[in-house]
């Protein structure tokens, strides 16, 4: 049995703050295990029936404990245990969206199973005081499989332990010889009741550990969910606000990656992070991924809370489906340039524009709607106060999409992003990188000294000469020979003549054909190599 992801996230946020309940993740997991516990009982009752009705007749072994009760009423009792176990499996599936009720029903099921076990054990009482009741095993094991709150575990365990006296009472009532008297009953029943109190111990430990994990997964007003991706910079998780229903993605970035590993640099880095994240949060272009929140964890990791996207990044799109026709590339590029253009007007430089940081999404009824990611790692231009999240003298970005001046460590402005977007355009049109290299350092040298080919020379699809020329202008080595910013690039892209337009209907048809399940598939930025310091 599995719980829907939405329910797991709901449980995570709705129960984590309640002092008398289980943490949300633990509650969801415990609900899954109720069915597992029922399956264990089904197996044990089936084994009991098999041994006492088949194996014993072969004479391969001596009579097991309780064999005197078979075939009757042992078969009836074991059959009832088997039937109720199967019934509990069905109930667990039906109540998977009502977890608290399911856990309570599970405890009632354990009491019922204890009654059947006690009835079988005491149907023919042993001739002398010996051993420990089978109920001890049931009472101690179940809370470890499907934990509940300690109080409820104690109440259910005491009821389960009381099934031994009930079994003894039934034996007395039917006239079976019970060879105990006085304090012997205390000796027989004492271990079972002790186990009832001990059952609270695993429940308490599991709940405490669950709360510790839950607390560690809380970032500000958000609760971390399932891991989506992991890379060199850190991790991306599903996230849910504890009060709002909207889904989100949280990117965790390790402080040492950004140069905050030394104690002396930590306070400076925190201030830079706060100011740059605030600047990124001010961006309002619909083509910029929305930044909901940001902060720093206790261990010095930085985190961003972003909108959760549905779609496909342009790197994966080209890798899976090949180069794009010119009209579709020209449909994507202005949207990305509009996002960058707003940042440039605010004096911000993205510095890691690349296909994996540009998403084609389905936003409401719109398709092929572009979102630009990773604006949390921007750098202010010289017109603004010089602030950066990266260590000095470190080239930050992805070498295959890095402007020459970035690779050289020179001062940069908006035209560095224009160069990177030119590399993205080359990738969309050709399915290839502008330059080939076997290492990051070699790639950076070629960005500095290499001469790029025109996209039309490397593409299997027709590329208009005007688009060829504009891409090469974006890839000019000298910044002054490129479009000056994102807004200027949008104007030039609008002037490119195309043999056909990429219409809304063509876009919808593409998504229906190539990614029909996309709306159910959440996508977020992949962290592998994203804005990592360039290395050889």
């Amino acid at each position: 049995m599995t719980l829907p992801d939405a329910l797991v996230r709901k449980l995570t946020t709705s129960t984590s703050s309640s002092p008398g309940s289980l943490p949300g993740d633990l509650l969801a997991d415990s609900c899954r295990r109720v069915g597992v516990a029922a399956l264990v009982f089904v197996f044990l009752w089936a084994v009991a029936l098999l041994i006492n009705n088949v194996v014993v007749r072969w004479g391969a072994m001596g009579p097991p404990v309780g064999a005197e009760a078979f075939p009757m009423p042992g078969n009836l009792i074991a059959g009832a245990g088997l039937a109720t176990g199967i019934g509990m499996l069905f109930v667990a599936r039906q109540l998977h969206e009502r977890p608290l009720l399911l856990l309570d029903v599970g405890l009632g099921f354990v009491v019922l199973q204890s009654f059947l076990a006690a009835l079988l054990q005491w149907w023919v009482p042993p001739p002398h005081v010996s051993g420990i009741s089978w109920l001890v095993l049931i009472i101690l094991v179940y809370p470890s499989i499907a934990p509940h709150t300690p109080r409820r575990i104690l109440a259910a365990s005491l009821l389960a332990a009381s099934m031994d006296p009930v079994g003894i009472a039934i034996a007395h009532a039917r006239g079976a010889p019970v060879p105990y008297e006085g304090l012997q009953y205390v000796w027989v029943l004492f271990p079972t009741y002790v186990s009832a109190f001990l059952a609270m111990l695993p429940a308490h430990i599991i709940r405490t550990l669950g709360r510790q994990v839950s607390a560690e997964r809380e970032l500000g007003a958000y609760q971390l969910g399932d891991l989506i991706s992991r890379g060199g910079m850190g991790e991306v998780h599903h996230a849910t606000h504890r009060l709002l229903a909207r889904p989100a993605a949280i990117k965790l970035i390790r402080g040492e990656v950004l140069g905050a590993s030394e104690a002396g640099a930590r306070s400076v880095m925190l201030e830079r992070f706060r100011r740059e994240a605030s600047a990124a949060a001010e961006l309002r272009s619909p083509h910029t991924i929305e930044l909901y929140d940001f902060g720093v964890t206790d261990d010095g990791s930085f985190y961003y809370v972003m909108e959760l996207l549905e779609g496909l990044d342009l790197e994966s799109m080209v890798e899976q489906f090949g180069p794009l026709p010119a009209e579709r590339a020209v449909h994507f590029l202005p949207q990305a340039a509009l996002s960058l253009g707003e940042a440039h007007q605010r004096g911000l430089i993205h510095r890691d524009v690349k296909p994996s940081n540009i998403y084609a999404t389905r936003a409401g009824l719109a398709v092929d709607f572009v979102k630009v990611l990773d604006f949390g790692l921007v750098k202010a231009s010289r017109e603004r106060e010089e602030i950066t999240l990266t260590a000095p003298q470190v080239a930050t970005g992805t070498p295959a999409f890095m402007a020459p001046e970035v690779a050289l460590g020179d001062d940069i402005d908006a035209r560095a992003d224009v160069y990177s977007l030119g590399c993205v355009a080359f990738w969309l049109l050709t399915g290839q990188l502008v330059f080939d290299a076997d290492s990051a350092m070699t790639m950076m040298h070629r960005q500095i000294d290499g001469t790029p080919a025109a996209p039309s020379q490397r593409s299997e699809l027709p590329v208009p000469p005007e688009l060829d020329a504009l891409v090469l202008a974006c890839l000019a080595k000298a910044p002054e020979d490129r479009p000056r910013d994102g807004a200027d690039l949008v104007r030039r892209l609008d002037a490119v003549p195309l043999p056909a337009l990429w219409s809304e209907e063509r876009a919808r048809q593409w998504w229906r054909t190539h990614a029909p399940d996309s709306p159910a598939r959440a996508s977020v930025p992949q962290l592998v190599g994203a804005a990592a310091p360039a290395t050889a």
Side-chain angles (χ1 to χ4, degrees):
M1 182 188 69
T2 59
L3 293 179
D5 289 342
L7 178 61
V8 173
R9 290 194 291 271
K10 180 180 178 181
L11 295 175
T12 299
T13 56
S14 64
T15 64
S16 60
S17 60
S18 176
S21 64
L22 295 171
D25 289 348
L26 181 58
L27 177 59
D29 191 51
S30 186
C31 289
R32 295 186 184 102
R33 294 182 179 184
V34 170
V36 174
L39 192 60
V40 170
F41 279 108
V42 168
F43 173 77
L44 293 177
W45 286 119
V47 168
L49 286 170
L50 179 67
I51 291 176
N52 285 287
N53 290 279
V54 178
V55 177
V56 170
R57 292 186 179 183
W58 290 347
M61 57 180 289
V65 177
E68 298 86 350
F70 285 87
M72 291 298 291
N75 284 342
L76 185 61
I77 295 172
L82 190 66
T84 53
I86 294 173
M88 189 63 210
L89 285 172
F90 175 78
V91 171
R93 291 182 179 274
Q94 295 299 312
L95 295 181
H96 70 280
E97 292 187 357
R98 302 180 65 184
L100 294 177
L101 176 59
L102 175 56
L103 291 184
D104 288 341
V105 172
L107 292 179
F109 169 73
V110 169
V111 174
L112 174 60
Q113 294 294 307
S114 298
F115 168 72
L116 294 174
L119 188 62
L120 182 61
Q121 177 174 298
W122 294 105
W123 190 259
V124 179
H128 53 81
V129 179
S130 63
I132 296 178
S133 171
W134 282 98
L135 300 191
V136 171
L137 184 62
I138 297 175
I139 292 170
L140 291 178
V141 170
Y142 182 83
S144 300
I145 298 176
H148 206 331
T149 58
R151 289 183 180 180
R152 290 178 183 255
I153 288 292
L154 176 61
S157 298
L158 288 174
L159 281 175
S162 298
M163 295 303 104
D164 267 342
V166 170
I168 295 174
I170 292 176
H172 276 293
R174 53 182 293 270
V178 181
Y180 309 140
E181 58 183 32
L183 293 178
Q184 287 182 326
Y185 283 108
V186 176
W187 180 255
V188 169
L189 301 177
F190 181 72
T192 311
Y193 280 97
V194 169
S195 69
F197 287 94
L198 291 178
M200 290 194 302
L201 188 58
H204 174 74
I205 293 174
I206 292 172
R207 187 177 70 154
T208 300
L209 292 175
R211 289 192 177 279
Q212 290 176 356
V213 171
S214 179
E216 291 174 359
R217 290 163 63 89
E218 292 180 0
L219 298 177
Y222 289 84
Q223 186 82 15
L224 262 65
D226 297 335
L227 177 69
I228 297 174
S229 66
R230 177 182 288 114
M233 290 286 288
E235 300 175 343
V236 176
H237 291 258
H238 282 287
T240 308
H241 194 282
R242 287 199 291 271
L243 299 177
L244 304 177
R246 67 183 179 192
I250 285 186
K251 175 184 287 188
L252 286 169
I253 305 172
R254 295 189 297 272
E256 60 268 21
V257 174
L258 301 176
S261 56
E262 297 181 3
R266 180 175 173 80
S267 59
V268 175
M269 187 60 59
L270 293 178
E271 179 61 17
R272 287 174 176 170
F273 170 79
R274 185 192 64 78
R275 293 162 69 181
E276 291 196 6
S278 296
E282 293 174 2
L283 299 175
R284 290 294 179 266
S285 170
H287 298 294
T288 300
I289 189 169
E290 188 173 355
L291 183 64
Y292 296 149
D293 202 354
F294 56 88
V296 182
T297 64
D298 292 337
D299 64 358
S301 296
F302 303 88
Y303 69 88
Y304 295 93
V305 186
M306 307 164 292
E307 64 177 311
L308 190 65
L309 302 180
E310 295 177 351
L312 197 64
D313 68 85
L314 298 189
E315 179 181 42
S316 300
M317 180 179 289
V318 172
E319 286 179 343
Q320 294 179 36
F321 307 110
L324 307 184
E327 55 267 29
R328 194 179 193 190
V330 172
H331 174 77
F332 284 144
L333 292 170
Q335 297 182 69
L338 284 171
S339 171
L340 295 172
E342 183 200 9
H344 296 158
Q345 288 181 2
R346 293 175 178 267
L348 299 174
I349 308 164
H350 188 290
R351 292 197 302 171
D352 197 33
V353 178
K354 57 184 178 182
S356 61
N357 276 341
I358 303 175
Y359 263 69
T361 69
R362 293 212 231 188
L365 298 179
V367 291
D368 271 3
F369 192 85
V370 164
K371 288 279 189 176
V372 179
L373 316 178
D374 271 352
F375 268 97
L377 296 175
V378 295
K379 177 187 177 79
S381 63
R382 292 181 64 87
E383 287 75 17
R384 289 174 59 118
E385 182 179 359
E386 187 67 25
I387 52 175
T388 175
L389 273 182
T390 56
Q393 308 303 320
V394 175
T396 302
T398 303
F401 301 91
M402 184 181 291
E405 59 270 28
V406 177
L408 290 168
D410 295 340
D411 293 331
I412 64 173
D413 58 21
R415 292 169 295 188
D417 285 346
V418 171
Y419 183 96
S420 298
L421 197 55
C423 294
V424 172
F426 194 95
W427 167 262
L428 297 180
L429 294 167
T430 68
Q432 304 174 38
L433 300 176
V434 178
F435 300 107
D436 294 324
D438 55 8
S439 69
M441 189 60 67
T442 301
M443 178 64 78
M444 293 169 67
H445 282 299
R446 292 186 179 172
Q447 297 285 20
I448 296 169
D449 299 326
T451 301
S456 59
Q457 297 176 9
R458 305 267 292 275
S459 177
E460 61 189 45
L461 301 174
V463 178
E466 295 83 358
L467 185 56
D468 251 353
L470 181 53
V471 173
L472 290 176
C474 292
L475 297 176
K477 300 302 178 187
E480 58 269 20
D481 294 334
R482 306 172 201 151
R484 63 178 178 271
D485 56 20
D488 187 23
L489 181 56
V490 171
R491 287 189 291 270
R492 299 197 192 191
L493 284 166
D494 288 342
V496 173
L498 297 170
L501 293 178
W502 184 255
S503 65
E504 187 83 2
E505 180 54 37
R506 290 183 67 185
R508 291 185 185 280
Q509 181 59 44
W510 188 93
W511 284 96
R512 284 195 295 266
T513 302
H514 297 290
D517 62 334
S518 179
R521 182 179 58 201
S523 299
V524 296
Q526 302 298 308
L527 283 173
V528 179
T535 58

